[in-house]
Amino acid sequence: MRDSLLIKAAFSEKTERPPVWMMRQAGRFMKEYWEIKNKYSFLEMCKTPELAADVTMLPVNLLGIDGAILFSDILVTGEAMGGDLSFTNGIGPKFANPVRTQTDVDNLRTDVVHKLQYVADAIKVIQQRLNGSIPLIGFAGAPFTVMSYLVEGGSTKDFKLTKLMLHNEPELAHQLLSKIAAVTADYLNMQIAAGVNAVQIFDSWAQALAWDDYKEFSHRYIAEIISKLNRKDIPVISFCKGSSVFAPLMAEAKPDVISIDWNVDLLDIKKRLPGGIAVQGNLDPHILYADKKVIKDRIYRLFDRMKDEQGFIFNLGHGIMPDIPFDNVKYAVEIIKEYTN
């Protein structure tokens, strides 16, 4: 895998073209995903290694991308720690026992990586099916993002309860984040031991934070996690919504790759990062709704901008939306693979 396009680009080595994979590439925009989803609950899919492998392989077989990403969810760590997790169509994730008091935080366990063995089992099945063809990316949710679901009890638009804890009870917030960070480091090392070829840390809600709060309550814990990873030949990708603002700080955690949202010029931000840190991104996913000539123009505009740069992985600035036409995603991958530096 060390010679694959994705791993070489992640380590800022020269590639004949930018590698491509897309966040949420195995998901609701595919009818084949729904054929599985209509038979099983979301958590059943995550916790059944053969099903997780089936979903992981969909974009490999149907799109021909350069990297597979493990099918799972960022909240499995919160569940393993003691969260009562459920998913409801149209509503999303819910924790029936939100974490809001000292007792709630004390009750969360950290010696829980054995409860996530189903993820390691899925990785082994997926790697058998990939058979060395492309790298497999593992992942975990960043502590602040997982914390927000635990504290709010589910999705939120304003992060009110989470921010109240940060501001009124910072010591309690740090205890909670420290526990999540410990579990996350163990979990990613378990994935590495099981055979993933790269890992990505998703801080999906970092953009909710002011700069000082991001530094204290998010960046600090991501840096701690990355420092604990068994990362020999395993590139670490750091993603957050808000990376166009936070990227210089994200670089201080020493990831190999920073995944950039679409609010910034990718070359400009790469030039502002330390040498040896690759960038991933950063097409606005909404462009995949557009006419094919627009899709091609925007992708090639990005590629021409990044033409002489080593360390560039094509991705979206965030995940694929569920109603983006499958043919448009397939077309995007095809024209990316036609491009030569």
Side-chain angles (χ1 to χ4, degrees), residues 12-23:
S12 295
E13 296 167 10
K14 189 168 178 58
T15 55
E16 57 267 29
R17 65 165 172 84
V20 51
W21 72 278
M22 299 186 196
M23 290 181 273

Side-chain angles (χ1 to χ4, degrees), residues 3 23 26 60 63 70 89 120 134 140-141 146 171 182 189 192-193 202 216 220 227 230 290 300 318-319 327 337:
D3 291 330
M23 290 181 273
V60 179
L63 294 173
L70 168 71
N89 282 343
I134 56 172
V146 175
E171 288 183 17
N189 279 329
I192 291 167
F202 282 86
E216 180 177 354
R220 163 179 169 179
S227 74
N230 303 323
Y300 279 14
H318 198 243
D327 284 351
K337 293 174 88 168

